[in-house]
Amino acid sequence: MTELIAGAHTPVPAGELTLLLRWAGGSVLDASAVLVAANGRVRSDDDLVFYNQPQAEAGAVRHLGGTPGRQTLAVDPARLPADVERVVVAATVDGGVFADVRDLALELHDAAGSVAASFPVRTAGPETLLLLAEVYRRQGGWRLRALGQGYDTGLAGLAADFGVTVDDEPPAPPRSAPAGDPISLRKEIVRVSLEKRGAAGVRARVALVLDRSGSMRPLYHAGVVGRLVERIAPVAAVVDDDSSLDAWIFADECARLPSLRVPQELEPWIAANVYIRQGNRQLPPLPDGSLRVPDHLVHVFGGNNEPEVIRDILDFYAAEPGDPVLVLFFSDGGINRSRQIQALLTKAAAEPVFWQFVGLGRSDYGILERFDTMPGRLVDNAGFFQVDDIDRITDAELYDRLLSEFPQWLTDARRAGVIR
């Protein structure tokens, strides 16, 4: 049996899966499931499975009821249609909060009834609804990811993220920022994500790392990388003391980019620094079609050399002690230096730097996908998740996944004496 922590993932067995929610004490919990499409939303209200709507897709996802201290759902991934990307498992607490729920855990049972994985859920806050886990597609198969993310607004929070209509009221809009003042709106979403984890007011320096290898050209050309930077900047605006964002770019070699203040310097910074070369062209071009002169990043091209940029980041922050560091590291894969990365991050576990890696698309991520079982570290100092299309997930989901492990790492790092 595999025991998971929040953010960890594991392959699921073949056949129908049983997801058993169990807890101790007198709290009353109700399990539910949400079928989610690639855009991060339900296709219709029929995609919510709960006690009043006990099945979806002709029984591919079913609510099996429960007894005191137990609730059960069944999911048969093979019967789900192609436009369902994942099934999110949630629970609500009736007349209380999850801080009052004892010994909460989610178990994954295979078709024979054996426990394949278990997720002991930490509950210490005012949440009335928790996203417990998700069963999601990955490279032609299915995996289970432990979540442990919640809302103090119950089903309204679920509706806001997934577009489910609750009690015949219009669903709340997704917590994204398509219009108005996007930085301010996104900062508020970041604050909510941290508050849900008991980390309101946390202080940290934020480092952004962008892959500039040749395979990233389509993402630069289409403006995806620039939009990604716009969405990452509010994290620094909320948690960094002076709202600044440090940044690196890497391929065969790496370069430290100028730090920027958010939001004052964001737009010109992206125009000057977020691009890639293809021959004599720069992608994306400047609005007037001119070249960035001088081209300070002309030497950063080719393949993937993650160890070089990891070492550079560690050296930089070792020379400038201060608040803990959250490194948000984006790559489209092709990881071929797994042994070096493992050695560096194992040694770096004694430093006040946490590494959240994000895979952009379907690829081979090597050691990044094995962080949850990587041995020999003083604390678990790294996390990983992968998205097929970063533009198609809501800001709320992006920030929840970026920040899901960071508060717990701070707690563990303090306990181990890494930070004070």
Side-chain angles (χ1 to χ4, degrees):
M1 182 190 73
T2 301
E3 184 167 299
L4 303 174
I5 62 172
H9 49 85
T10 184
V12 301
E16 184 173 80
L17 310 171
T18 301
L19 294 153
L20 171 65
L21 179 65
R22 56 177 175 80
W23 66 97
S27 299
V28 178
L29 272 60
D30 290 310
S32 56
V34 186
L35 285 66
V36 183
N39 64 357
R41 311 275 284 173
V42 297
R43 300 165 302 167
S44 74
D45 290 346
D46 292 339
D47 285 342
L48 173 63
V49 173
F50 65 119
Y51 56 88
N52 273 343
Q53 187 168 279
Q55 68 173 7
E57 291 296 338
V61 180
R62 306 194 310 282
H63 187 286
L64 302 180
T67 58
R70 297 167 70 91
Q71 284 270 305
T72 308
L73 298 163
V75 178
D76 189 343
R79 296 173 58 194
L80 290 170
D83 59 351
V84 173
E85 287 288 314
R86 54 197 170 103
V87 177
V88 178
V89 177
T92 53
V93 58
D94 185 14
V97 296
F98 274 97
D100 303 325
V101 179
R102 295 191 289 110
D103 301 329
L104 180 63
L106 182 70
E107 291 180 352
L108 171 68
H109 294 240
D110 62 20
S114 299
V115 180
S118 177
F119 172 38
V121 185
R122 299 183 180 182
T123 56
E127 297 91 347
T128 55
L129 181 142
L130 280 181
L131 305 183
L132 300 170
E134 62 182 5
V135 179
Y136 66 100
R137 295 183 188 271
R138 179 75 171 102
Q139 294 182 341
W142 291 84
R143 300 177 71 88
L144 175 78
R145 177 183 290 112
L147 297 176
Q149 305 165 6
Y151 311 92
D152 60 8
T153 52
L155 284 174
L158 186 83
D161 271 1
F162 299 114
V164 180
T165 302
V166 179
D167 292 336
D168 297 324
E169 293 293 328
R175 288 180 290 157
S176 296
D181 178 1
I183 292 291
S184 296
L185 293 173
R186 285 173 170 148
K187 283 167 61 177
E188 185 58 31
I189 300 171
V190 172
R191 290 191 184 97
V192 169
S193 184
L194 290 168
E195 286 170 1
K196 290 191 299 186
R197 292 163 178 76
V202 68
R203 284 288 169 258
R205 292 171 287 179
V206 180
L208 171 65
V209 184
L210 298 174
D211 186 346
R212 203 177 191 247
S213 60
S215 57
M216 287 284 293
R217 286 188 184 116
L219 297 183
Y220 279 90
H221 195 192
V224 173
V225 181
R227 291 191 294 274
L228 174 61
V229 177
E230 291 175 349
R231 300 174 78 184
I232 296 306
V235 178
V238 171
V239 305
D240 187 88
D241 266 344
D242 60 1
S243 298
S244 69
L245 177 66
D246 299 327
W248 278 259
I249 206 156
F250 79 99
D252 285 339
E253 298 186 29
C254 71
R256 179 171 177 255
L257 303 178
S259 297
L260 71 143
R261 294 290 298 274
V262 182
Q264 303 94 312
E265 302 167 355
L266 181 58
E267 186 174 339
W269 188 93
I270 291 173
N273 296 286
V274 181
Y275 66 98
I276 197 168
R277 291 185 63 88
Q278 184 170 17
N280 293 324
R281 301 168 61 207
Q282 295 173 342
L283 307 174
L286 290 171
D288 63 0
S290 63
L291 296 176
R292 298 161 181 89
V293 179
D295 187 339
H296 295 291
L297 303 176
V298 66
H299 65 291
V300 183
F301 66 94
N304 298 77
N305 187 355
E306 295 83 8
E308 179 174 297
V309 70
I310 291 171
R311 280 190 290 265
D312 198 63
I313 291 168
L314 289 169
D315 290 345
F316 176 79
Y317 288 112
E320 296 191 7
D323 287 335
V325 182
L326 172 60
V327 180
L328 303 176
F329 197 118
F330 292 87
S331 167
D332 72 340
I335 308 299
N336 55 25
R337 291 176 168 87
S338 289
R339 189 171 299 176
Q340 295 176 52
I341 294 170
Q342 179 170 347
L344 281 167
L345 294 186
T346 299
K347 183 178 180 181
E351 302 296 328
V353 183
F354 179 77
W355 305 78
Q356 179 61 64
F357 290 82
V358 182
L360 300 174
R362 303 173 184 270
S363 186
D364 176 15
Y365 292 102
I367 189 63
L368 307 190
E369 297 188 85
R370 303 193 294 275
F371 282 150
D372 297 318
T373 57
M374 197 168 80
R377 290 173 292 165
L378 179 62
V379 294
D380 181 1
N381 63 335
F384 172 78
F385 67 88
Q386 172 265 340
V387 293
D388 292 337
D389 186 345
I390 197 76
D391 274 343
R392 298 184 70 176
I393 66 173
T394 66
D395 290 333
E397 181 181 0
L398 177 62
Y399 298 140
D400 280 348
R401 296 180 74 174
L402 287 174
L403 300 170
S404 64
E405 297 186 60
F406 187 53
Q408 185 59 47
W409 177 81
L410 292 175
T411 298
D412 294 344
R414 288 191 184 96
R415 188 180 297 120
V418 175
I419 58 176
R420 289 171 174 79

